[in-house]
Amino acid sequence: MKKNITYSDIAKHTNLSKATISRFFNSPESLTEETTLLIEKALMELNYKENKVAKILANGKTEFIGIIAPKLDLHFYSYLLNCILNTYTKYGYKFIVFTSNGDIDEEKKYIEELLAYQIEGLIMISSCIPSIELKDYNIPIVGIERESKYISSVNTNNYMGASLATNTLIENNCDVLIHINSPLSDEVPAINRIKAFNNICKDKNMEYMVFYEDFNGDINDTNNKLNNIFKKIESNYPNKKIGVFLSNDTLANYFIKILVKNNRSIPDEYEVIGFDDSPAAIESFIQLTSIRQDIQAITENALAILNERIKINHNKKKVNLPPDKHVIIEPTIVRRDSTL
């Protein structure tokens, strides 16, 4: 059996002390470039395989970050999660992921499980647990597109995104504007999609309506609710061009299928705009105009905030944590076949 390479072996091979070798693994920034290169060369020559468990026991740094996300039935969440996981090559963090069914007690159990793994930070995408409770866990936490008054956050400028969508439908000479969304509390960033739509329609003296439905992720239920909305639109606004702005691309994709099934012309009779510019926008039967959330920028800012706070926690000296950061990412509109 091949012998495990120890710090002593590396020290002997490089003529350095074991303390220097330990610093290479635990605080590499304290070494000169020459010493770092010497040790890296030795590791290759010795065919060293790092023992992660031993490293965790030695320095208490697990490099684990927890994520609690909503169910991945919306393409946006799966797209965002994939981008977060891909940051491993830059930051070196490993992720433990739980998906939530919207149960606050379930999410609290998830956090206790994550804390048992000594996570160094937490990304909260799900909205069940209020941020005033999250801050009491005393670990670095960043919220994404959720209520985050008492924790750091990274959000899209939802008001701007909805403004881009609403104004586009108006500029394209739609007679009636429709917004479809779930009931939202004032603390959730996405509420600004509804506020912007309402404000612009009133300011521009547009005929409009907002439909609120609790879309629970069940495909049949979602399709039934959207189909009922379609029937109401047809009944209330005959012989008018309809502009429909939906809260996400997944719903917009379903709605386009309903329009096609009912032989409605897109974009001549109906124009449709989604939100997120997730893969669903491209995969739609008719490619979807959508408000693009910059997932890469959201991910990079979230990890940068977490990384900064984790490094401060690793500092042996007592240092006051910087104030919570709240980053707003500007959206853009991507025009495709579902609008003029």
Side-chain angles (χ1 to χ4, degrees):
M1 183 179 292
K2 190 171 180 178
K3 173 180 176 290
N4 288 331
I5 305 301
T6 65
Y7 283 9
S8 295
D9 296 325
I10 303 168
K12 183 177 180 181
H13 193 84
T14 57
N15 291 318
L16 298 171
S17 68
K18 285 202 298 183
T20 300
I21 304 304
S22 176
R23 284 164 59 200
F24 172 84
F25 288 102
N26 299 312
S27 55
E29 69 281 354
S30 66
L31 299 179
T32 65
E33 183 179 0
E34 181 182 6
T35 300
T36 298
L37 292 173
L38 177 63
I39 296 173
E40 288 176 347
K41 182 173 181 289
L43 296 180
M44 292 179 63
E45 292 171 350
L46 293 169
N47 194 25
Y48 174 77
K49 305 297 182 187
E50 187 176 8
N51 186 330
K52 288 288 188 180
V53 174
K55 184 176 179 180
I56 291 170
L57 293 174
N59 63 24
K61 302 174 185 177
T62 66
E63 299 174 347
F64 290 152
I65 288 178
I67 301 175
I68 299 182
K71 287 168 58 179
L72 302 181
D73 52 296
L74 294 185
H75 289 72
F76 170 73
Y77 294 125
S78 56
Y79 187 30
L80 174 61
L81 182 58
N82 186 59
C83 288
I84 293 172
L85 298 181
N86 285 339
T87 63
Y88 173 77
T89 54
K90 179 173 183 178
Y91 290 100
Y93 293 117
K94 280 78 68 178
F95 299 94
I96 304 175
V97 182
F98 287 96
T99 57
S100 167
N101 290 312
D103 186 313
I104 188 170
D105 293 325
E106 181 182 65
E107 288 191 7
K108 288 179 179 180
K109 290 179 182 177
Y110 292 159
I111 293 180
E112 293 302 324
E113 180 79 7
L114 290 167
L115 293 175
Y117 280 94
Q118 298 181 46
I119 57 169
E120 302 198 53
L122 178 63
I123 297 174
M124 289 296 298
I125 308 172
S126 178
S127 298
C128 291
I129 305 175
S131 65
I132 194 168
E133 294 185 30
L134 290 172
K135 73 178 179 61
D136 292 335
Y137 286 103
N138 294 317
I139 58 172
I141 301 178
V142 174
I144 297 178
E145 286 298 317
R146 54 149 292 147
E147 179 274 314
S148 300
K149 183 177 180 180
Y150 297 96
I151 59 175
S152 293
S153 66
V154 182
N155 298 311
T156 292
N157 186 337
N158 286 273
Y159 197 97
M160 174 61 72
S163 299
L164 290 170
T166 308
N167 283 315
T168 295
L169 295 173
I170 294 172
E171 290 163 8
N172 290 353
N173 297 314
C174 292
D175 300 313
V176 179
L177 300 193
I178 304 294
H179 182 49
I180 302 173
N181 211 321
S182 300
L184 300 171
S185 71
D186 280 341
E187 290 77 26
V188 177
I191 190 69
N192 286 312
R193 301 177 195 181
I194 300 171
K195 290 180 178 179
F197 177 82
N198 285 333
N199 290 343
I200 292 170
C201 287
K202 290 175 183 176
D203 290 344
K204 300 288 181 70
N205 199 29
M206 290 295 301
E207 191 170 6
Y208 73 97
M209 180 174 288
V210 178
F211 288 94
Y212 297 97
E213 288 287 354
D214 184 12
F215 297 104
N216 57 18
D218 180 89
I219 294 176
N220 290 328
D221 183 67
T222 295
N223 274 315
N224 287 335
K225 287 175 178 175
L226 289 175
N227 198 55
N228 288 335
I229 290 173
F230 167 73
K231 290 176 180 177
K232 290 177 183 177
I233 295 171
E234 290 281 294
S235 174
N236 292 339
Y237 307 109
N239 303 315
K240 292 190 175 183
K241 182 176 180 180
I242 310 297
V244 185
F245 167 43
L246 295 99
S247 60
N248 60 69
D249 294 337
T250 303
L251 291 180
N253 201 341
Y254 292 153
F255 195 77
I256 282 179
K257 291 178 181 177
I258 291 170
L259 294 178
V260 171
K261 184 178 179 181
N262 286 275
N263 298 312
R264 293 298 177 264
S265 176
I266 304 169
D268 297 324
E269 295 178 301
Y270 278 81
E271 293 198 16
V272 181
I273 299 181
F275 203 105
D276 298 332
D277 197 38
S278 66
I282 298 293
E283 295 165 0
S284 178
F285 183 78
I286 294 175
Q287 290 196 347
L288 180 66
T289 294
S290 184
I291 303 305
R292 173 175 288 171
Q293 298 204 65
D294 190 337
I295 299 294
Q296 295 293 342
I298 291 171
T299 299
E300 176 57 35
N301 278 275
L303 267 294
I305 292 170
L306 272 184
N307 190 53
E308 175 190 36
R309 280 157 170 70
I310 289 169
K311 284 186 174 180
I312 292 172
N313 280 352
H314 288 168
N315 193 328
K316 301 300 180 184
K317 300 175 184 178
K318 288 191 175 181
V319 179
N320 290 328
L321 283 173
D324 291 329
K325 289 187 176 180
H326 300 282
V327 178
I328 303 295
I329 307 296
E330 296 302 320
T332 55
I333 187 167
V334 181
R335 297 172 186 264
R336 298 191 181 93
D337 296 340
S338 67
T339 59
L340 293 176

